[in-house]
Amino acid sequence: MMRAKLCALAAVVLFAELTAAQGQLGDIWISRSNPGGVLGYRADGTLFADITAPHAGGVYCLSVLDAEHIAFTQTTSPPRLTVVDTVGGQWLEVHLLECEGTGWDVARFADGTLAVCDPIGDVELYSPTGEHLATWGPAYNPVFWNVWVDVHDQLWVSDIAPAHGGTLHCYDRNGSIVRYVGFAFEPGDFVVEPNGEIWLTNRYGNQIVHTDAAGTELGRFPTGMSGIQQGLAIASDGTLWTTASTSTTARHFSRSGVQLGEFTLALGAGTTWVLD
């Protein structure tokens, strides 16, 4: 269901000096919570980009938009959405005044529209230049956490509200609900593959779970990490990368759960995404 919300919006374009190199296929992008920023790693763990956020405040969720652009939200007042390129140039900054809580995860539709998750229970849509377009969300009060746009240009949102168990909501491009997929645990980060299969983290179980499109479990394995299992990404070869809130490493797994490697993260790093 689509709900209208009238709020003011402030958008401004900033410029900043970055210490970064050109992104490439297979790069791993990590949010850094303190101080707020974004780190770019090669798959072998080599740090090639260290981007400081433009304002004080943690960076918790990010999204790789393309080979040269990263979008992330920042827990400032008001919360902000920032888009930055990896070679240092233009930043797009949007003040997320429509978010009743804080801006959380972000994803992009095929036409460039940005979807920002508000944990209090809405998804806010913005144009590529920062204008507010719409508010999507159910009539009840979910706790929305992560978002993903699949190959069909459908928006998936995780609801971690205890009263609802763990649920993924799937919306079509008009904001109408397509289906719900429920789980017996609180989902963290997730990826919906082109064939509809879902990979997601069990936030408090330190596991990676694999299901079919209907949510029927196909497999799971432990990560052996500490804290909230929040970050998850799938590389172009189908292997998995993951991070957890109090773990000092990013870990690499096969689809069957065999650990393929890991590398040490800079202090305060968080959510993981893979550029592919």
Side-chain angles (χ1 to χ4, degrees), residues 163-183:
H164 313 136
T167 307
L168 297 186
H169 302 219
C170 179
Y171 293 91
D172 67 19
R173 192 61 184 84
N174 296 314
S176 299
I177 193 70
V178 176
R179 64 183 178 276
Y180 299 98
V181 181
F183 305 94

Side-chain angles (χ1 to χ4, degrees), residues 10 32 35 44 49 63-64 99 111 132 157 167 201 211 218 244-245 250 269:
R32 186 181 62 206
D44 64 1
S63 180
V64 175
C99 289
D111 65 0
H132 185 249
V157 191
T167 307
T201 63
T211 78
L218 302 175
S245 61

Side-chain angles (χ1 to χ4, degrees), residues 31-38 53 57-62 72-75 268 270:
S31 68
R32 186 181 62 206
S33 59
N34 184 26
V38 178
V59 172
Y60 292 108
C61 289
L62 59 87
F72 58 85
T73 57
Q74 198 169 0
T75 56

Side-chain angles (χ1 to χ4, degrees), residues 104-197:
W104 199 244
D105 199 12
V106 57
R108 186 175 69 169
F109 288 100
D111 65 0
T113 297
L114 296 164
V116 179
C117 186
D118 180 354
I120 285 182
D122 294 319
V123 176
E124 305 294 348
L125 271 62
Y126 298 90
S127 75
T129 54
E131 292 80 16
H132 185 249
L133 301 175
T135 299
W136 292 357
Y140 64 88
N141 295 313
V143 179
F144 282 162
W145 209 250
N146 287 90
V147 290
W148 177 266
V149 174
D150 67 17
V151 295
H152 305 293
D153 219 27
Q154 299 177 134
L155 181 72
W156 293 76
V157 191
S158 63
D159 179 6
I160 63 171
H164 313 136
T167 307
L168 297 186
H169 302 219
C170 179
Y171 293 91
D172 67 19
R173 192 61 184 84
N174 296 314
S176 299
I177 193 70
V178 176
R179 64 183 178 276
Y180 299 98
V181 181
F183 305 94
F185 57 87
E186 189 173 300
D189 203 3
F190 67 93
V191 176
V192 181
E193 295 198 278
N195 65 0
E197 292 181 5

Side-chain angles (χ1 to χ4, degrees), residues 5-26:
K5 183 188 294 183
L6 300 178
C7 291
L9 170 71
V12 60
V13 175
L14 304 176
F15 292 83
E17 292 297 325
L18 307 181
T19 302
Q22 176 70 47
Q24 62 186 36
L25 183 69

